[in-house]
Amino acid sequence: MTGMTSSARPFLNRRLAEFGTTIFAEMSALAVRTGSINLGQGFPDTDGPEEVREAAVRALRDGRGNQYPPGPGVPELRTAITAHQARRYGLAFDPDTEVLVTAGATEAIAATLLALLEPGDEVVALEPYYDSYAACVAMAGATRVPVTLRPDPEHARFRLDLDELRDAVTDRTRLLLINTPHNPTGTVLTREELTAIAELAVERDLLVVTDEVYEHLVFDEAEHVPLATLPGMRERTVTIGSAGKTFSFTGWKVGWITAPPGLVAAVRSAKQFLTYVSSGPFQYAVAEALALPDSYFDAFRADMLAKRDLLAAGLAEAGFSVFRPAGTYFITTDIRPLGESDGFAFCRSLPERAGVVAIPNAVFYDHREAGAPFVRFAFCKQASVLEEAATRLKALAG
């Protein structure tokens, strides 16, 4: 019996060759190997509301969702999503034609980009960006055109240059890929910035895909404004939401899109050949979660705000320059005050030096040098874990 013949051609196709294993897998393995506190990957270390977990158990026991759910999602969840959008933002959607449930926001992004893009199309995305954006644009055969959010140290935030955004749009631009609240920088785009984006989309007749999975995690004076609420945007916008970040059940992988019927039909055409359907019993539980009273969302935000401030203070004390996020559950830091400039090398050495794992922001950039000195920490952990991480990081200041 002969062994497998070696192929002169690599197994992984050219479009995905640049991506390889995600940085999250590498850093999570490093955390396990070194016994470090993992502030790299963005998942909570405690479960969400007990009544939501019990709703999933009840659905399992009652036999709801144990077989294939309907392709667009179970009616109860689609109705709950439309009620949420109407109550929060005054956006009216038809649960039968304008909602599609997906396997998390990651599949929503993949299905949307695979459905809407042709080879040669350009996608303008805000850099740094969640790593699946680049991979999905590549799988669709399209070209990503990054517009970089620049650090604004005076206001301890990252800022969008609207002129740079306008200049990035060409005759080949098919869509704008917007993320607010923004991962990894924690920037929440203002109503003025979003209005300018909307005017550009209308003027150039562009589709807009907006990732709003952190919609319930905005802090201080920041306000989450869905792009679909702005003039001319309802008919051209695919809005992506997710239960994982809002209810702390990231393993359930329940996401969704809301969009006009034509866009939903297009995305569903791609989605049905990815997972077909998923998360049956969990869909019923998320329907109940979305109907929780405002007190849940307010308490969730207040808890994350306290954790943000706890970790931000610890990072500042350790010598980092801290960009205090207006949203999400990540803090971006600048390592140059520590005498460092290479985020990759810093993050790979941090577990040995301080027993903490973080993520180098450069992985979220096409322009790696623009992200080189920035490192991201997640604060969606128990307060005791964050306090211990802050104590360990003081070793850097010493």
Side-chain angles (χ1 to χ4, degrees):
M1 184 175 168
T2 59
M4 188 173 170
T5 58
S6 63
S7 168
R9 179 175 149 184
F11 294 130
L12 185 62
N13 71 60
R14 273 197 305 270
R15 291 192 300 279
L16 287 177
E18 68 175 289
F19 298 103
T21 304
T22 73
I23 190 70
F24 302 108
E26 179 190 343
M27 300 315 288
S28 292
L30 188 58
V32 171
R33 196 165 68 244
T34 59
S36 295
I37 295 174
N38 188 356
L39 301 186
Q41 200 160 0
F43 59 87
D45 56 1
T46 51
D47 286 344
E50 181 64 23
E51 63 265 42
V52 176
R53 186 163 55 178
E54 284 305 308
V57 172
R58 199 165 63 245
L60 278 165
R61 288 201 176 120
D62 293 348
R64 289 178 298 147
N66 293 335
Q67 308 308 325
Y68 294 135
V74 302
E76 290 86 344
L77 177 54
R78 285 182 277 127
T79 300
I81 290 165
T82 58
H84 171 272
Q85 297 299 83
R87 186 174 75 249
R88 291 265 160 189
Y89 310 119
L91 282 166
F93 289 100
D94 182 329
D96 293 326
T97 61
E98 297 188 310
V99 181
L100 176 66
V101 177
T102 59
T106 303
E107 190 199 32
I109 293 159
T112 300
L113 296 180
L114 289 170
L116 301 181
L117 295 172
E118 298 280 2
D121 284 345
E122 291 180 353
V123 176
V124 175
L126 306 183
E127 179 185 65
Y129 40 64
Y130 179 55
D131 58 351
S132 86
Y133 294 0
C136 292
V137 170
M139 283 192 277
T143 301
R144 61 186 185 270
V145 178
V147 172
T148 310
L149 297 179
R150 308 284 179 191
D152 176 4
E154 185 185 342
H155 298 97
R157 64 165 287 193
F158 283 74
R159 193 175 294 281
L160 171 63
D161 184 327
L162 290 167
D163 290 331
E164 199 175 325
L165 180 68
R166 291 184 193 97
D167 290 345
V169 174
T170 72
D171 292 340
R172 293 183 298 282
T173 306
R174 169 68 165 164
L175 62 83
L176 305 177
L177 180 49
I178 304 297
N179 174 210
T180 184
H182 183 264
N183 172 19
T185 68
T187 297
V188 176
L189 295 177
T190 64
R191 184 176 288 275
E192 290 72 28
E193 289 168 329
L194 291 166
T195 298
I197 291 170
E199 288 169 352
L200 176 65
V202 171
E203 177 195 334
R204 302 300 294 269
D205 194 23
L206 303 173
L207 297 174
V208 179
V209 178
T210 173
D211 175 351
E212 301 181 6
V213 300
Y214 294 100
E215 62 188 305
H216 290 289
L217 281 175
V218 291
F219 310 123
D220 306 324
E221 306 307 311
E223 174 197 15
H224 174 62
V225 179
L227 257 171
T229 62
L230 296 175
M233 296 307 290
R234 169 76 168 73
E235 61 269 30
R236 67 178 68 248
T237 301
V238 176
T239 302
I240 294 171
S242 167
K245 300 297 190 287
T246 299
F247 302 109
S248 299
F249 290 111
T250 57
W252 290 7
K253 297 302 291 177
V254 180
W256 53 82
I257 69 163
T258 50
L263 282 169
V264 167
V267 176
R268 187 178 168 193
S269 294
K271 183 258 186 300
Q272 67 189 339
F273 299 116
L274 295 173
T275 57
Y276 177 47
V277 290
S278 60
S279 314
F282 299 130
Q283 291 192 33
Y284 293 96
V286 172
E288 295 194 27
L290 283 168
L292 286 171
D294 286 348
S295 57
Y296 165 75
F297 298 94
D298 294 341
F300 176 58
R301 189 184 305 109
D303 179 55
M304 285 296 177
L305 175 60
K307 290 174 175 178
R308 179 201 72 173
D309 291 345
L310 173 60
L311 184 58
L315 289 165
E317 201 174 333
F320 293 86
S321 177
V322 176
F323 292 90
R324 191 171 291 258
T328 78
Y329 44 48
F330 301 107
I331 294 178
T332 287
T333 62
D334 190 330
I335 58 175
R336 285 174 291 193
L338 293 165
E340 307 273 353
S341 58
D342 180 344
F344 281 101
F346 179 83
C347 288
R348 288 181 174 128
S349 68
L350 192 60
E352 294 294 342
R353 293 172 62 189
V356 176
V357 164
I359 295 289
N361 279 27
V363 298
F364 305 121
Y365 286 79
D366 278 19
H367 304 106
R368 287 283 168 101
E369 69 287 349
F374 303 118
V375 168
R376 190 192 82 175
F377 293 84
F379 56 87
C380 50
K381 312 294 179 182
Q382 295 174 65
S384 58
V385 173
L386 298 175
E387 285 165 359
E388 174 60 21
T391 299
R392 293 184 182 191
L393 288 165
K394 282 180 189 163
L396 301 175

